[in-house]
Amino acid sequence: MRILVIGSGGREHALAWKLSQEAEVIVAPGNAGIAEDAECVEVRTGDSQGILDLCRSRFVDLVVVGPEDPLVAGLADFLRANGVAVYGPGKDGAQLEASKSFSKDLMIQAGVPTAQFEAFKDATKAKAFAKSLADSGSMPVIKASGNALGKGVVVANTLDEAEEAIDSMMLDREFGEAGSTVVVEERLLGYEFSLLSICSGTDFYSLPVAQDYKRVLDGDRGPNTGGMGAYSPVAAVPTNLVREAEESAVRPMLAHLQSLGIDYRGTLFSGFMVQNGKPICLEYNVRFGDPETQSVMRRLGLGLSTALMAAAVGDPIPPVEVLDNYSVTVVVASGGYPGNYLKGVPILLPEKIPANVKVFHAGTAIKDGVLSSNGGRVLGVSAVGDTLEEATASAYEVCDQIEFEGKHYRRDIAASPV
Ligand code: AMP
Ligand code: GLY
């Protein structure tokens, strides 16, 4: 099977690495690290025609779309209309991620448990609702409805903070158009987990659960990021909790999408908060999570390519082999991330990387012949072991040896699992 993976981040590196163990893999456009594991072709993710041409010239059997932007823009629809098998939802399904207010409306329609919320286009009304939540004892969470690279969510600790967030999203347009509508919702308390389900219409198969660390600083302090690390499996999420999450948020959402005429083929990534023992759905994404995928791919045996192909053509999903191991991924980020950061900073990787560690590249490029940073999240150091402690120690050993100016990473990934 020949697979074309679309994207250039850590998630795509992990997917390409795993898939290349059982298929021939091409990545467009890829990055400096991906190029070491698969062939990279310089076609941009937004260049639909270029991608179709590549599929035809290289006889690609399956396209796996990594990031959400091309899905939201309709890449999957365009390729399908031209007879290409694609793993990734069409534009209509991708609205689940592109619009948080749409996504929350669908959760209500499908009966999916989620935080109480309202969506607003008017800042004064949004603030009034935030105040009513605070008055009733729940601090509000403010979310830019559109896509803000995982940064458009403010979990407020005071009403002032909530009001400031509403002003900066709606009036100052900190995230541009993404903030023209905001969702204000009740704050849930508990612990989180990410569930990645491979979906084929109403059929699905969930990969092992992972836990992501969203805040930039140790102890879950500082602003939200796209994700600073992840580990799997998650002891606090036993099989019965996974089944409950699937039955309350994955199956009903897929059935509801189908009833709306949306045949969803791709990843449904559900983010949950476990509150009082119940999984409550925080959000959906329409692609694999990053860095969760980096950890999850390290735990798979054979069968991913077959499962993704089945989803792409609308067949039932065969199970994927899951290994009996632990994996930990620590994201090494650029100085300043998630705020402004420099690109083009030279990176020195350790000469010897232990066999149980894989360094996935999230934002790297070769600049003047030198491996350099090219994004906010630069590397994902992903280790496996027989225990979580072993995997964690191995990941940090390599993180400590990576050199580039301004590098930072959390020191507490998988340190105190819930
Ligand atoms: P989202 O993009 O909606 O998943 O939000 C990003 C992160 O913000 C989540 O992973 C949570 O850590 C936090 N968050 C979002 N919604 C809530 C909520 N209702 N209560 C508490 N934390 C939340
Ligand atoms: N790690 C969360 C995300 O991929 O959105």
Side-chain angles (χ1 to χ4, degrees), residues 100 115 141 143 150 153 155 185-189 192 214 224 273 282-283:
K100 285 190 193 288
V141 177
K143 302 183 175 186
V153 174
V155 181
E185 68 180 36
E186 106 193 76
R187 177 166 177 179
L188 302 173
L189 297 174
E192 291 180 55
K214 292 252 165 54
N224 266 322
M273 180 82 83
L282 288 176
E283 65 158 352

Side-chain angles (χ1 to χ4, degrees), residues 11 212 214 226-227 269 283 285 287-292 377:
R11 161 186 48 219
D212 174 28
K214 292 252 165 54
F269 163 168
E283 65 158 352
N285 293 304
R287 36 83 194 164
F288 286 108
D290 199 6
E292 289 94 323
R377 292 184 290 173

